[in-house]
Amino acid sequence: MINIFYVSISGNTRAFVKRLVQYAKVANRKNATKPLIHAVEYTENMDNTIIDHPFFVIVPTYLDGGNGINNGYKEVMTLDFRDELDEANSAYLLGVIGSGNRNFNAQFGLTAKHYARRYNSPLIGLFELRGNDEEAVKIYAALSKYQNDFNQRGVKRALVR
């Protein structure tokens, strides 16, 4: 089982997570060794026990304007979600996935990149807006790889600092 903890503000991330969950179901029906996905969206009333086990995070990119290089790199809109992660055991955060709009160039996926550094976890994928089937396949493969790696080693892959 792959655990995903995510936040969705405009609904784009939620739509992509649903696509991932569906893809995992199809893959699992074809091959029982392919893991299913258990996804929990961040809300005030959510069951936060998902972060008591190995999990992945998916975050949208909402920044304060600018270009992401000289300015416009301050995260907005996902601060409560980040606070929840600050209280979690970061050893269980196996990887970060981000969404965004490629039109914003350097800002594309910037929140996910910030989270990866903050929690010393690999950035394992980025998708645009609501994502597409090709991105779902690629990200599912990465999720499976990092989950299998954790299952074998007992520790997450961390960023090299």
Side-chain angles (χ1 to χ4, degrees), residues 6-152:
Y6 70 99
V7 61
S8 186
I9 294 152
S10 66
N12 287 341
T13 304
R14 183 180 311 111
F16 185 73
V17 169
K18 286 180 182 179
R19 184 187 305 266
L20 272 177
V21 168
Q22 185 58 34
Y23 179 79
K25 285 178 184 176
V26 170
N28 179 266
R29 269 183 262 161
K30 292 178 181 177
N31 179 346
T33 65
K34 299 290 185 183
L36 293 170
I37 293 176
H38 173 239
V40 173
E41 183 173 357
Y42 171 78
T43 65
E44 290 182 17
N45 302 319
M46 65 169 200
D47 175 9
N48 68 353
T49 59
I50 192 166
I51 60 177
D52 295 337
H53 307 281
F55 68 100
F56 296 88
V57 164
I58 302 181
V59 292
T61 300
Y62 287 96
L63 303 168
D64 64 350
N67 62 15
I69 298 169
N70 302 318
N71 54 27
Y73 49 83
K74 183 178 177 191
E75 172 197 6
V76 295
M77 305 287 283
T78 60
L79 299 178
D80 292 338
F81 182 74
R82 188 186 70 204
D83 291 344
E84 189 78 31
L85 292 176
D86 283 346
E87 294 178 18
N89 181 349
S90 64
Y92 284 152
L93 177 48
L94 304 184
V96 180
I97 299 158
S99 71
N101 186 329
R102 291 187 195 281
N103 288 341
F104 295 128
N105 301 314
Q107 289 182 327
F108 176 66
L110 197 56
T111 298
K113 293 171 187 173
H114 288 183
Y115 277 46
R117 280 191 302 275
R118 182 181 189 100
Y119 301 108
N120 196 27
S121 298
L123 176 66
I124 65 169
L126 296 171
F127 63 94
E128 186 168 22
L129 301 173
R130 297 174 79 86
N132 60 41
D133 291 341
E134 182 179 312
E135 290 167 320
V137 169
K138 182 178 176 183
I139 288 174
Y140 177 77
L143 289 166
S144 298
K145 173 187 164 192
Y146 281 89
Q147 182 70 55
N148 287 336
D149 185 66
F150 177 83
N151 293 345
Q152 291 174 358

